[in-house]
Amino acid sequence: MENIWINEAYRGVVPNDFQGKIGWSSPSNIALVKYWGKKGKQIPQNPSISFTLSECRSETFISFEKADSFGFRFFFEGKENPAFGAKIEKFLLDYQAFFPFINQLSLKVESRNTFPHSSGIASSASSMSAFVMCLLEIENQLVGKVELDLQKASYFSRLASGSAARSVFPKMALWGATDCYKGSSDEYAVPLENDIHPIFKTYRDSILIVSGETKSVSSRAGHGLMENNPYAPARYTQANENIKNLLAALKSGDLDTFINITESEALQLHALMMCSNPSFILMKPNTLRIIEAVRNFRNETRIPLCFTLDAGPNVHLLYPENEVEQVDDFIKNILANYCVEGRWIADHVGDGPKKLA
Ligand code: PMV
């Protein structure tokens, strides 16, 4: 892969009048089978599957103009923020062999999230994929191409921030090589849209904000802790098994299996952090209260509502679109009491990145 894209990199002289502004909006995603543990350059230890979200997005613009050397400024929500921009700048410098033209450009990056910064929702998947889409679009303008290559966008999004590889595709994506899915790769995600039952194409994700604090362990540190985790080999075996069974359930619309795997994956992710050294407990008391209430609600109503968790205390409630009224009532009447200031975000499976400018 790398060779193809190094070979096709634009190495010409950037024309003096080359300038413009590109914008992309890209969504966050929520993993069902989790990526936790990596090797080499952002290669996952096991494959993962996610829903692409719709409402939680990053909107990123790059203004560019010809310059004598690489110039870079980063603005977050209207204010210059070199600390936030540092990860993008490092990515560009690390991978300049693929994008040598950046050394003849001055870039001004402006980014904002549609979800509040204090919502505890990780924004690296949405922001890094939005940035990569803009960068590839600039390259396309230089070489005279029109269509964005989504596989390439996923590949470079992965290098910028692992799970960002999956945000590039509509509905659902699989990232990581598995024998159960032809064309799957550790280097980029592939779209699952054509291999899932229609019920999943409009699935809802209501995100309950149990804490708005930033995570106490970064995902980079969390992945690193898997290297010495005694349960890591068993985890990777089980994740592969879960991928196989989830792919089948996604195809047939088997909600019992979907719920079973999704909840087990969320709890495994947290269990792995609890038995890492040092260990981390990322759930809060209200996370557990919500989990218990969700399971009771499911038993009592037979509504196929289930939960998943990211590497933090907030709870993602997943359910079919036709259950939205009853689940909304349940959230408003009961679960919102466990959220900071009663806050939750109504999201759903979405159509992937959109071009803004
Ligand atoms: O993409 P990263 O390095 O931030 O890791 C993401 C890890 C999880 O969000 C916990 C799981 C996943 O697969 O998205």
Side-chain angles (χ1 to χ4, degrees):
M1 246 341 124
E2 294 211 357
N3 290 338
I4 309 176
W5 287 321
I6 286 222
N7 290 343
E8 72 176 34
Y10 180 82
R11 289 174 210 288
V13 174
V14 171
N16 280 336
D17 60 354
F18 187 68
Q19 58 163 332
K21 187 170 182 176
I22 295 287
W24 275 87
S25 152
S26 189
S28 183
N29 67 75
I30 181 69
L32 304 172
V33 173
K34 309 290 182 181
Y35 149 60
W36 200 241
K38 60 179 165 183
K39 54 195 172 190
K41 281 190 200 162
Q42 303 273 90
I43 296 296
Q45 289 280 12
N46 64 263
S48 55
I49 289 179
S50 56
F51 278 133
T52 300
L53 297 182
S54 176
E55 304 302 310
C56 293
R57 313 178 71 87
S58 295
E59 294 174 349
T60 301
F61 291 88
I62 304 184
S63 308
F64 54 93
E65 61 181 5
K66 165 89 175 185
D68 295 334
S69 58
F70 174 54
F72 183 84
R73 293 179 76 187
F74 183 85
F75 293 75
F76 182 69
E77 303 199 328
K79 280 203 195 119
E80 187 151 22
N81 193 325
F84 278 20
K87 198 170 168 191
I88 291 182
E89 193 172 359
K90 181 172 182 323
F91 164 77
L92 281 172
L93 296 173
D94 284 354
Y95 293 100
Q96 58 184 301
F98 294 91
F99 307 106
F101 57 86
I102 60 158
N103 291 313
Q104 302 174 62
L105 288 181
S106 167
L107 306 178
K108 178 182 172 194
V109 182
E110 293 166 279
S111 195
R112 65 176 284 271
N113 295 335
T114 59
F115 46 94
H117 186 53
S118 61
S119 62
I121 296 175
S123 62
S124 64
S126 52
S127 60
M128 289 301 174
S129 52
F131 173 78
V132 165
M133 306 288 280
C134 291
L135 181 68
L136 295 189
E137 182 99 25
I138 295 174
E139 182 182 49
N140 268 4
Q141 288 196 4
L142 279 169
V143 298
K145 259 198 196 167
V146 179
E147 283 289 302
L148 262 197
D149 178 341
L150 290 184
Q151 188 172 306
K152 183 171 178 179
S154 178
Y155 176 92
F156 286 105
S157 297
R158 176 204 113 226
L159 288 172
S161 172
S163 58
R166 298 184 309 239
S167 277
V168 167
F169 296 105
K171 311 295 183 193
M172 297 196 80
L174 162 71
W175 168 40
T178 164
D179 292 344
C180 317
Y181 200 87
K182 203 160 162 258
S184 59
S185 169
D186 281 344
E187 295 186 276
Y188 47 83
V190 292
L192 287 183
E193 186 176 5
N194 295 330
D195 288 297
I196 58 173
H197 188 278
I199 198 168
F200 296 114
K201 295 189 182 175
T202 56
Y203 233 63
R204 314 292 297 197
D205 178 7
S206 297
I207 309 165
L208 306 182
I209 313 298
V210 171
S211 165
E213 286 167 23
T214 44
K215 298 190 276 187
S216 58
V217 57
S218 68
S219 55
R220 174 203 279 256
H223 290 291
L225 288 171
M226 284 300 281
E227 281 165 30
N228 293 318
N229 189 312
Y231 298 98
R235 157 65 192 158
Y236 302 142
T237 305
Q238 193 164 25
N240 276 289
E241 190 64 16
N242 283 343
I243 286 281
K244 183 173 93 193
N245 294 331
L246 183 62
L247 281 170
L250 290 173
K251 198 157 199 160
S252 66
D254 172 356
L255 291 186
D256 288 340
T257 305
F258 172 86
I259 290 171
N260 201 6
I261 295 175
T262 299
E263 292 194 347
S264 163
E265 277 285 324
L267 296 174
Q268 264 184 53
L269 171 70
H270 282 256
L272 288 164
M273 280 181 279
M274 286 186 207
C275 61
S276 291
N277 185 10
S279 84
F280 292 91
I281 299 178
L282 301 182
M283 288 190 262
K284 300 280 183 210
N286 279 351
T287 312
L288 289 172
R289 289 190 181 101
I290 291 169
I291 289 175
E292 197 175 13
V294 165
R295 287 184 161 176
N296 289 340
F297 176 84
R298 186 166 71 230
N299 286 339
E300 282 158 21
T301 61
R302 313 315 296 168
I303 290 174
L305 170 71
C306 71
F307 69 85
T308 188
L309 306 165
D310 221 330
N314 298 333
V315 183
H316 290 245
L317 294 185
L318 304 175
Y319 51 98
E321 190 185 29
N322 65 332
E323 310 287 5
V324 70
E325 254 175 59
Q326 293 201 64
V327 176
D328 259 15
D329 282 348
F330 176 47
I331 297 173
K332 284 178 195 148
N333 296 334
I334 311 278
L335 301 181
N337 294 317
Y338 302 127
C339 300
V340 211
E341 295 157 8
R343 274 164 50 207
W344 57 286
I345 298 172
D347 210 337
H348 55 93
V349 168
D351 292 329
K354 285 185 211 142
K355 192 167 173 195
L356 298 173

